[in-house]
Amino acid sequence: MPAAETGQANTGLAGPVVFGSGLFSLGLAPIIRGGNRHVALVLLEWLGLLVLLALSIRALTTAAASPTPRHPPRHRAIGLWLLALAPLWVGLFQLFPLPSGLWAALPGHAPYAEALAVAQVSGNGYLALSLTPDATSTSVLAGIPLVAAFLLAHFCSSPHLRRLVQALVVFAVAQAVLGLLQMGPFPGLSFGLVKGGRVVGTFANRNHFASYITMTVPLAILLFRQATASARGDARAHRGGRPMGALWGLALFLLLSAVLASASRGGTVTCLVVTLLAVLLLPQREGHWSARRHWGMAGAAGLLALVALAVGVDALLARFEAEGGYLSGERWLYVIGTWHAALAFWPFGSGLGSYAAVFPAFQPIGVHGFIEHAHNDYVQLLMECGLLAVAFGALALALIARQTARLVRRARRAGLDAAGLLQASCGLGLLAVLLHSWVEFNLRIPANAMLATFLLGAFLRPLPPHRDKPARESVLE
């Protein structure tokens, strides 16, 4: 798919279909409880298949029209496709039928084999490696929108990527506005939640709401900075300017306000981290760097203080004081029990999507109720996928580290152009959800997982050819 390498716009019918279906799926994802409902998820899966089909058609037509297409290095291409199709590989491995004797001998499977024998359950002599094949099949199908989001961001044209990023910020602003309205006298906007006054948007959980918005904050900061830079240029050239800087500034204010109003401790901390990193790292143009950094820090501090005052400092601090620390709460017990389960099923795992069915056997004393998630995406993936989770995690980290090193070298040598700044912003948005997922299950929510994989695909796009002179910031048109 050479369009990502050349950065040229798509031609023919496939390009608009890719953009339109991708835009629709990304906008639809958070509407019904973050996509975490069966009807919404089925629709997202069909839209994901449409995106994949359109991308395939565009790749074939582009390859036929280009006599000498450019391809990334073979090892990089293999790594990207292994990571992009990770749900497929997990499904092929965990749903592969094994002889019942071999299945019973797998780590952690003996108690279940004994239960089947006591219940006198007869089969055809073959069983899938996963303890819950139906749940694993459902989880693999749920990976279709994730694959589509990753490939859409990685292979779409540069103009389409810019517009998709702008649309994502607009979608997040809509969630923020709805969440802030839920704080007021509009109980119906809470969509049947037991406790009124929660800021959740269309999500079922304030943490997932905060994580979704936080991923777009670095993108909003970039749009705001570039719009204001363009306005200054227009003012110098034409004695005027567009009000886009003010609009993106308002959008950024609403996003930050919604995250703080959500009272999500993990969301608040990660939002502050990526906001400061975006202010420090995104301005890469040479000249007056020290002054720009100091003014940027001062502006960020002032904006965060203004947002905190607008939301209410007392309510925000009360949220942090109301509950004990993470290590002293029940969620840490979830992690401990899940870790023990991961060791019991190592190295093959219990099966993707099997957590709710398997965890009760490892539920620690003191944990009450039915636990569906570990509130730590990494340890839960380790339990369900075993060595595969480690392998794909290591591959993702290697690709991210390699791209980060390339961006840093480019920034030090000549500064980052608009495409490089956009990729760096996507990387910071991805960092937000990766940090928050240590204490939440954000990657189990389709809308958040789709946004995360989209940011990953955009971050891993090939860098444009190196320029000899320093690049300048430009507007995302």
Side-chain angles (χ1 to χ4, degrees):
M1 297 182 182
E5 302 289 337
T6 62
Q8 297 182 3
N10 298 314
T11 57
L13 179 62
V17 172
V18 169
F19 175 77
S21 55
L23 178 64
F24 186 53
S25 62
L26 291 171
L28 181 67
I31 291 180
I32 304 177
R33 292 292 192 267
N36 196 28
R37 293 295 184 271
H38 293 299
V39 174
L41 186 55
V42 169
L43 181 57
L44 292 176
E45 290 168 0
W46 279 107
L47 287 173
L49 288 174
L50 178 60
V51 172
L52 293 176
L53 177 61
L55 282 171
S56 301
I57 294 174
R58 199 205 69 178
L60 293 174
T61 55
T62 304
S66 177
T68 57
R70 297 179 59 186
H71 298 285
R74 182 177 298 274
H75 66 278
R76 180 179 176 275
I78 293 175
L80 283 171
W81 283 105
L82 284 175
L83 183 63
L85 300 179
L88 175 62
W89 313 133
V90 173
L92 290 176
F93 177 73
Q94 294 191 335
L95 296 176
F96 188 82
L98 299 174
S100 57
L102 178 59
W103 183 89
L106 294 176
H109 285 59
Y112 299 93
E114 295 174 1
L116 291 176
V118 171
Q120 297 182 347
V121 175
S122 60
N124 57 3
Y126 288 88
L127 294 170
L129 184 147
S130 172
L131 293 173
T132 56
D134 291 341
T136 300
S137 300
T138 301
S139 299
V140 171
L141 291 176
I144 294 175
L146 309 187
V147 176
F150 179 92
L151 296 179
L152 171 68
H154 193 77
F155 290 115
C156 71
S157 67
S158 296
H160 282 172
L161 179 63
R162 293 195 289 267
R163 285 166 176 77
L164 287 171
V165 165
Q166 292 174 338
L168 285 172
V169 176
V170 172
F171 297 152
V173 169
Q175 288 289 328
V177 171
L178 177 60
L180 293 173
L181 289 176
Q182 290 170 343
M183 295 181 64
F186 301 99
L189 294 179
S190 295
F191 300 102
L193 288 176
V194 177
K195 296 181 180 179
R198 282 188 173 182
V199 178
V200 296
T202 58
F203 291 79
N205 185 300
R206 58 188 170 192
N207 295 303
H208 304 150
F209 166 80
S211 180
Y212 179 84
I213 291 181
T214 299
M215 281 187 276
T216 66
V217 167
L219 305 177
I221 292 175
L222 178 66
L223 292 170
F224 169 68
R225 292 184 63 88
Q226 294 184 324
T228 53
S230 174
R232 288 195 297 268
D234 289 344
R236 288 192 296 266
H238 306 293
R239 303 289 182 183
R242 296 176 293 179
M244 292 305 299
L247 292 178
W248 290 123
L250 175 62
L252 179 59
F253 179 83
L254 291 173
L255 294 177
L256 295 174
S257 299
V259 172
L260 296 184
S262 69
S264 167
R265 293 181 295 177
T268 300
V269 171
T270 54
C271 182
L272 294 177
V273 169
V274 298
T275 298
L276 294 178
L277 288 178
V279 172
L280 283 172
L281 301 181
L282 288 186
Q284 297 290 344
R285 188 171 60 179
E286 294 185 351
H288 306 291
W289 162 246
S290 179
R292 288 169 62 87
R293 180 179 61 182
H294 292 150
W295 280 112
M297 285 294 295
L303 179 60
L304 292 174
L306 180 62
V307 168
L309 290 174
V311 173
V313 177
D314 293 339
L316 182 62
L317 294 179
R319 167 62 180 157
F320 281 84
E321 297 174 355
E323 300 181 17
Y326 179 71
L327 296 180
S328 61
E330 272 200 1
R331 291 189 180 185
W332 181 243
L333 296 179
Y334 303 168
V335 174
I336 293 175
T338 307
W339 173 254
H340 291 158
L343 294 178
F345 292 104
W346 180 264
F348 303 108
S350 60
L352 190 63
S354 65
Y355 185 86
V358 174
F359 181 73
F362 299 88
Q363 188 163 322
I365 298 176
V367 174
H368 307 286
F370 179 68
I371 309 303
E372 295 184 87
H373 301 284
H375 290 266
N376 182 310
D377 280 325
Y378 306 106
V379 71
Q380 183 169 340
L381 282 172
L382 185 65
M383 168 190 158
E384 294 181 346
C385 299
L387 187 60
L388 280 177
V390 177
F392 286 122
L395 175 59
L397 287 177
L399 292 174
I400 290 172
R402 179 180 180 274
Q403 186 75 338
T404 300
R406 294 185 64 194
L407 285 169
V408 170
R409 288 196 300 268
R410 177 71 63 88
R412 289 178 175 176
R413 184 168 59 245
L416 294 179
D417 58 5
L421 288 170
L422 179 58
Q423 288 179 264
S425 301
C426 290
L428 290 177
L430 179 64
L431 176 64
V433 71
L434 293 180
L435 291 176
H436 197 181
S437 292
W438 281 103
V439 293
E440 261 300 329
F441 53 99
N442 289 302
L443 300 181
R444 299 285 168 159
I445 305 303
N448 289 11
M450 287 176 63
L451 180 53
T453 53
F454 180 90
L455 295 175
L456 177 60
F459 180 72
L460 295 179
R461 286 168 67 96
L463 294 179
H466 173 65
R467 297 181 180 181
D468 294 331
K469 59 182 180 179
R472 304 184 58 145
E473 292 177 301
S474 61
V475 180
L476 295 178
E477 298 177 355

